Amino acid sequence: MNIAGFELSNMHIICRIVIKVFYLSLAFIWSLHVHAQSSARLESMRFIKEGDNFLRMGNWNDAMASYSSSIIADPSYADGYMKRAMLNERLGSQTDADYIHLNRGQYELTN
């Protein structure tokens, strides 16, 4: 069968090519989205490791800042919240709303 100078089998091949290009385009766009998410997650994980190192050295202020940066980098990653809450608990604070002051490298909790 002939439609506008093309054989029907040629139209079928062209349709298959167009569909494949469409699906490849969708896959490419999805990979960009996934890469952006994984970049944020990796950045968040880097801040958590940095905070853990500060915590080992007894540098509470920088550890807290690193955990907070982790949350900013990827708000959907719960580990940053968990680490910051654990540090607050370690310092005697029950919530992030408690006020902590730095005094000569050591934290003092205000009531």
Side-chain angles (χ1 to χ4, degrees):
M1 184 179 230
N2 217 353
I3 300 175
F6 287 106
E7 287 291 324
L8 189 56
S9 62
N10 288 342
M11 291 288 284
H12 180 40
I13 292 170
I14 291 172
C15 286
R16 289 179 69 191
I17 290 171
V18 168
I19 290 170
K20 285 182 182 180
V21 168
F22 173 74
Y23 282 121
L24 286 172
S25 298
L26 285 178
F28 176 73
I29 291 169
W30 179 254
S31 71
L32 291 176
H33 174 70
V34 169
H35 177 70
Q37 284 184 330
S38 64
S39 293
R41 180 62 48 93
L42 290 173
E43 184 72 7
S44 181
M45 291 170 71
R46 185 185 69 76
F47 281 122
I48 288 173
K49 286 182 183 180
E50 182 179 83
D52 290 345
N53 289 334
F54 284 131
L55 193 59
R56 279 187 210 98
M57 294 184 293
N59 191 339
W60 315 112
N61 187 39
D62 288 338
M64 187 69 75
S66 292
Y67 296 146
S68 295
S69 295
S70 169
I71 293 168
I72 291 167
D74 187 357
S76 67
Y77 189 47
D79 286 14
Y81 295 99
M82 181 192 67
K83 293 285 190 168
R84 188 170 70 180
M86 288 174 63
L87 180 55
N88 275 328
E89 183 179 9
R90 189 176 194 178
L91 296 172
S93 172
Q94 295 302 311
T95 67
D96 282 343
D98 288 335
Y99 218 29
I100 299 172
H101 287 284
L102 182 63
N103 184 17
R104 294 186 189 171
Q106 299 297 319
Y107 277 105
E108 291 181 353
L109 298 173
T110 61
N111 295 327

